């Protein structure tokens, strides 16, 4: 005979949806609280962007003056710097979910997450977003202040608004790829090599190192056909040159890849959860 | 009514073996040596509503694997199990609302935050109403004597204090079954005693069934009425704790120290003197043949006592005795 529900609230189907989703909001909030536990650590993490942007500004100043032109592939020095700021802000704030999952499988703490009444993947996304949001805001503010001082004012509000939507979807898309790598840890345990390869794809083909516009046309087309460009290049390029056409292009690519990777994450999760072996018994 | 019903549960998994050194690593790449480990072998048992059931065995016996199958985290290779009417590995999330778990070696509380923050998070996760959650936190913090600890970051708590908070967290949603995997591991004698008392209190106050694994026979003796002993994945004993004590926990070992030198020929009839030193002795006796009282009286009359420690046989000794019998 089945037992009565221990928590009376779960029995009401009407409440179920709101309460079910509220738990992920609570995870996000708790993760935010956790990030505030060490404010100095948070500040130190964000200091990285200051160093990166200072180096980039000096490197690209030399490049632009050597080219003897105010623009490269339609981007001014200021455009390039604000592009790189947005790209770095996204990349430095994203939580490495694959490492989280891999560590949890290795040390056995995954056991606690699997026996709670929530979706393991959504839990990680909520926790990751809680962590990323705060770091993203600090990165954007600190790095933005430096870039403003060095190369001039940022793009208008339209660029910010469009980039925020695209950055959120970019974090979600990155989350799906990290989840795919992390879930592989249920079977392989060690996934740092996959993680390294993924990061290098983002660096080169994603447009983190240099804007994709500076590539030869065939490499631009190749990169745009891959998902990595829509995690870094898409939001950053939209930030410096917002338009309805570009926004639609970026969002459509992001949503398309999200649909494909989301299905893969769901299928992989269903398979690996049955293959799990918990270390230490 | 049985809350756990396990029949012929079997779990095997494969582990890679690798010879020592660089050559071994290369060979493992070319031809991995996969070994099949039988973690749990065809075990069957039942647990009744509100029962305090002990599940003991040495390290690597299969206790934790069994608990993880019963919570739905691991899938068995064969056999069936039902926990509160659910098949755990098929209905893990539904079952999660009904059970509480503590894995003694791994924390579930957020390490950098005060325990109360995790309590409120768990309240949301278990979809509890705010008012009921507050009442429940108040009740549990009183029962576990953790009111003064709730607002301290978990990393600042001692292991004993943290374990009390861990067990309280697992009871927040008023589960009908509590699965405790080594809750007393690493705790000192006082902290162990407090954990045992609170578990017993919650069992009596709320009728929550408790399945407790431990490699410390003392936990079981202090808490449980019935015990299952598992070794190498097989159940080798299941009966009342009183029967186990009567049959296998019959010997006591005593370490005694005096303030003055002891007679080298010191002995007590019916007691095996394991070691006699200048200021102390180690001895062992069977309580069925020599009453504890007689031994203690003889020890006290031998001189001025400084310290006495009485211990039960280790679990390994109990298992050896079971095999021998």
């Amino acid at each position: 005979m089945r037992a009565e529900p221990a928590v009376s609230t779960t029995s009401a189907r009407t409440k179920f949806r709101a309460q079910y989703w509220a738990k992920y909001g609570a995870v996000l909030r708790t993760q935010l609280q956790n990030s505030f536990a060490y404010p100095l650590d948070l500040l130190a993490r964000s200091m990285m962007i200051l160093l990166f942007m200072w180096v980039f500004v000096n490197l690209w100043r030399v490049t632009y003056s050597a080219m003897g032109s105010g623009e490269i592939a339609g981007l001014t020095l200021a455009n390039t710097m604000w592009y790189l700021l947005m790209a770095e802000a996204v990349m430095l704030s994203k939580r490495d979910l694959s490492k989280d999952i891999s560590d949890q499988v290795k040390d056995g703490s995954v056991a606690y997450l699997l026996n709670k009444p929530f979706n393991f993947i959504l839990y990680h996304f909520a926790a990751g977003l809680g962590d990323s949001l705060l770091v993203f805001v600090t990165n954007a503010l600190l790095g933005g202040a430096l870039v403003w001082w060095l190369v001039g004012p940022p793009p208008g509000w339209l660029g910010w608004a469009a980039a925020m939507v695209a950055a959120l979807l970019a974090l979600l898309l990155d989350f799906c790829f990290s989840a795919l790598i992390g879930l592989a840890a249920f079977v392989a345990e060690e996934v740092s090599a996959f993680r390294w390869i993924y990061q290098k794809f983002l660096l080169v083909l994603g447009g983190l190192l240099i804007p994709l516009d500076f590539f030869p046309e065939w490499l631009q087309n190749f990169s745009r056909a891959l998902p990595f460009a829509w995690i870094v290049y898409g939001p950053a390029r939209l930030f410096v040159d917002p338009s309805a056409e570009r926004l639609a292009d970026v969002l459509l690519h992001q949503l398309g890849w999200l649909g494909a990777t989301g299905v893969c994450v769901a299928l992989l999760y269903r398979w690996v959860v049955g293959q799990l072996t918990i270390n230490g018994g | 009514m049985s809350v756990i019903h396990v029949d012929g549960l079997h779990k095997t998994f494969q582990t890679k073996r690798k010879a020592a050194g660089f050559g071994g690593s290369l060979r493992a790449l070319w031809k991995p040596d996969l070994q099949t480990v039988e973690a749990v072998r065809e075990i069957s048992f039942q647990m009744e509503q509100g029962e305090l059931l002990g599940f003991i065995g040495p390290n690597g016996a299969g206790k934790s694997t069994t608990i993880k199958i019963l919570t739905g985290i691991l899938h068995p290779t064969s056999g069936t199990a039902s926990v509160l009417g659910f098949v755990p590995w098929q209905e893990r999330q539904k079952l999660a609302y009904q059970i509480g778990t503590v894995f003694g070696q791994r924390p579930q509380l957020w390490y950098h935050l005060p325990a109360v923050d995790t309590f409120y998070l768990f309240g949301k996760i278990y979809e509890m109403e705010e008012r009921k959650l507050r009442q429940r936190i108040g009740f549990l913090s009183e029962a576990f004597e953790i009111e003064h600890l709730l607002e301290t970051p978990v990393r600042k708590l001692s292991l004993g204090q943290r374990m009390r908070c861990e067990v309280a967290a697992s009871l927040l949603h008023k589960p009908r079954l509590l699965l405790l995997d080594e809750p007393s591991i690493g705790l000192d004698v006082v902290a162990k005693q407090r954990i045992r008392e609170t578990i017993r209190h919650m069992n009596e106050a709320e009728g929550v069934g408790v399945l407790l694994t431990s490699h410390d026979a003392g936990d079981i003796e202090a808490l449980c009425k019935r015990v299952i002993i598992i070794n190498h994945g097989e159940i080798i004993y299941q009966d009342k704790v009183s029967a186990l004590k009567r049959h296998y926990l019959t010997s006591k070992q005593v370490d005694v120290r005096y303030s003055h030198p002891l007679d080298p020929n010191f002995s007590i009839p019916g007691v095996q003197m394991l070691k006699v030193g200048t200021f102390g002795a180690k001895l062992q006796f069977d309580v069925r043949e020599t009453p504890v009282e007689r031994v203690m009286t003889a020890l006290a009359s031998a001189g001025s006592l400084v310290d006495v420690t009485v211990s039960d046989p280790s679990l390994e000794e109990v298992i050896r005795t079971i095999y021998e019998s």
Side-chain angles (χ1 to χ4, degrees):
Chain A
M1 194 181 91
R2 291 201 173 203
E4 288 301 308
V7 181
S8 59
T9 48
T10 57
S11 59
R13 200 168 259 279
T14 46
K15 284 184 178 179
F16 179 74
R17 286 297 107 193
Q19 286 195 322
Y20 185 77
W21 292 105
K23 64 180 78 177
Y24 300 106
V27 172
L28 190 149
R29 234 180 3 261
T30 310
Q31 183 59 54
L32 268 174
Q33 283 170 249
N34 200 47
S35 302
F36 275 120
Y38 293 103
L40 275 179
D41 177 64
L42 178 68
L43 199 65
R45 271 172 81 181
S46 300
M47 287 297 177
M48 223 41 210
I49 200 162
L50 293 180
L51 179 68
F52 284 179
M53 293 319 297
W54 185 81
V55 170
F56 284 149
V57 167
N58 285 291
L59 272 175
W60 284 101
R61 258 194 189 135
V62 173
T63 311
Y64 271 86
S65 73
M67 296 290 286
S69 148
E71 284 188 2
I72 303 175
L75 292 172
T76 63
L77 175 65
N79 287 153
T80 307
M81 284 308 105
W82 283 107
Y83 168 96
L84 288 171
L85 172 80
M86 182 54 67
E88 289 295 338
V90 171
M91 288 308 292
L92 290 176
S93 60
K94 75 187 185 68
R95 171 124 162 197
D96 196 344
L97 174 69
S98 57
K99 186 173 182 310
D100 287 352
I101 297 179
S102 162
D103 288 348
Q104 285 159 4
V105 170
K106 278 187 215 162
D107 68 19
S109 54
V110 70
Y112 270 129
L113 296 176
L114 288 175
N115 75 7
K116 291 276 183 290
F118 52 54
N119 180 294
F120 179 78
I121 299 293
L122 290 178
Y123 167 87
H124 273 294
F125 178 62
L129 199 59
D131 193 49
S132 300
L133 282 179
L134 195 61
V135 185
F136 178 79
V137 170
T138 14
N139 275 338
L141 287 177
L142 280 176
L146 180 72
V147 172
W148 194 336
W149 179 56
L150 291 172
V151 300
W157 66 268
L158 198 63
W160 284 99
M164 288 307 110
V165 177
L168 189 68
L169 290 178
L171 286 174
L172 196 52
L173 188 53
D174 171 75
F175 165 81
C176 287
F177 277 101
S178 292
L180 286 173
I181 296 169
L183 288 174
F186 275 60
V187 184
E189 281 200 27
E190 184 53 63
V191 292
S192 52
F194 301 126
R195 196 160 60 234
W196 189 86
I197 292 168
Y198 172 62
Q199 282 163 352
K200 299 306 161 253
F201 273 133
L202 285 178
L203 188 71
V204 180
L205 299 173
L208 182 63
L209 195 62
I210 51 173
L212 296 186
D213 310 71
F214 297 177
F215 285 171
E217 201 175 333
W218 67 268
L219 191 53
Q220 277 187 50
N221 293 335
F222 177 67
S223 302
R224 283 172 56 89
L226 296 173
F228 315 109
W230 309 106
I231 297 173
V232 183
Y233 174 78
R237 193 69 174 87
L238 195 57
F239 180 52
V240 294
D241 187 14
S243 67
E245 196 183 333
R246 194 185 289 279
L247 179 67
D249 182 43
V250 172
L251 296 188
L252 276 176
H253 276 94
Q254 286 182 322
L255 291 172
W257 280 111
L258 265 174
T261 50
V263 169
C264 293
V265 169
L267 291 175
L268 185 63
Y269 176 70
R270 281 182 66 173
W271 180 67
V272 296
V273 86
Q275 311 293 316
L276 179 67
T277 306
I278 307 267
N279 284 342
Chain B
M1 189 184 84
S2 76
V3 287
I4 297 181
H5 186 99
V6 172
D7 192 13
L9 205 65
H10 197 84
K11 173 73 180 173
T12 60
F13 56 86
Q14 289 197 313
T15 54
K16 273 185 193 167
R17 279 165 56 97
K18 182 188 87 64
F22 185 65
S25 298
L26 284 179
R27 270 195 301 280
L29 274 179
W30 177 251
K31 197 178 175 188
D33 178 12
L34 292 174
Q35 200 180 38
T36 301
V37 177
E38 289 186 301
V40 175
R41 301 178 185 186
E42 307 277 341
I43 64 168
S44 302
F45 68 93
Q46 287 190 26
M47 180 179 159
E48 299 305 312
Q49 173 75 47
E51 190 180 1
L52 254 163
L53 175 63
F55 203 67
I56 59 174
N59 290 329
K63 310 181 294 291
S64 298
T65 303
T66 307
I67 281 231
K68 285 180 183 111
I69 293 173
L70 294 180
T71 54
I73 299 167
L74 294 181
H75 292 217
T77 311
S78 62
T80 60
S82 157
V83 178
L84 294 163
F86 296 100
V87 177
W89 51 95
Q90 287 172 3
E91 299 167 288
R92 179 162 41 88
Q93 293 224 5
K94 285 181 195 163
L95 177 65
Y97 285 103
Q98 318 271 356
I99 61 168
T101 47
V102 172
F103 300 111
Q105 301 171 61
R106 288 153 191 142
Q108 63 179 328
L109 299 169
W110 286 50
Y111 191 63
H112 299 296
L113 296 177
V116 71
D117 283 338
T118 307
F119 285 10
Y120 278 107
L121 173 64
F122 281 9
K124 285 283 181 196
I125 285 172
Y126 286 102
E127 300 169 35
M128 295 174 74
E129 284 170 13
E130 189 81 15
R131 187 179 53 82
K132 284 186 179 169
L133 175 63
R134 281 182 198 282
Q135 280 175 357
R136 188 72 179 154
I137 291 175
F139 168 74
L140 288 173
S141 53
E142 201 177 311
F144 283 71
E145 296 175 40
I146 52 172
E147 298 103 319
H148 61 296
L149 307 174
L150 284 182
E151 292 179 357
T152 307
V154 170
R155 66 177 186 277
K156 304 270 186 197
L157 300 178
S158 71
L159 183 59
Q161 291 171 331
R162 185 171 69 72
M163 270 328 284
R164 287 195 341 256
C165 293
E166 293 275 356
V167 180
S170 68
L171 286 162
L172 267 179
H173 56 295
K174 233 176 171 180
R176 297 190 57 193
L177 178 65
L178 192 57
L179 300 155
L180 303 173
D181 190 10
E182 306 271 8
S184 64
I185 197 163
L187 299 183
D188 62 37
V189 180
V190 179
K192 254 184 199 179
Q193 190 53 32
R194 290 189 83 170
I195 281 285
R196 287 169 183 168
E197 280 166 10
T198 44
I199 292 169
R200 188 170 34 234
H201 172 70
M202 292 311 294
N203 171 258
E204 286 165 3
E206 301 198 328
V208 57
V210 181
L211 176 63
L212 172 82
T213 80
S214 180
H215 64 267
D216 180 351
D219 280 343
I220 309 304
E221 208 178 342
L223 276 172
C224 306
K225 285 210 169 73
R226 199 161 68 87
V227 64
I228 292 173
I229 301 181
I230 184 167
N231 194 33
H232 300 306
E234 286 176 325
I235 290 179
I236 58 168
Y237 181 91
Q238 57 175 318
D239 204 341
K240 287 182 178 164
V241 172
S242 55
L244 178 77
K245 279 165 87 171
R246 205 165 48 244
H247 292 120
Y248 301 106
L249 292 171
T250 53
S251 77
K252 296 272 180 203
Q253 194 166 302
V254 181
D255 280 279
V256 63
R257 279 203 311 125
Y258 292 93
S259 61
H260 59 81
L262 195 60
D263 176 2
N265 297 317
F266 173 65
S267 68
I268 303 168
V271 173
Q272 186 189 356
M273 305 304 292
L274 298 175
K275 187 180 165 190
V276 179
T278 316
F279 287 94
K282 184 183 253 189
L283 41 112
Q284 192 174 335
F285 61 98
D286 191 320
V287 292
R288 290 172 299 186
E289 291 157 12
T290 315
V292 178
E293 191 187 354
R294 183 160 25 121
V295 177
M296 287 302 163
T297 310
L299 288 172
S301 61
S304 172
L305 282 167
V306 174
D307 193 15
V308 181
T309 311
V310 183
S311 47
D312 287 315
S314 69
L315 193 57
E316 286 73 13
E317 282 174 64
V318 173
I319 289 170
R320 196 168 56 239
T321 317
I322 290 171
Y323 276 129
E324 281 167 4
S325 65

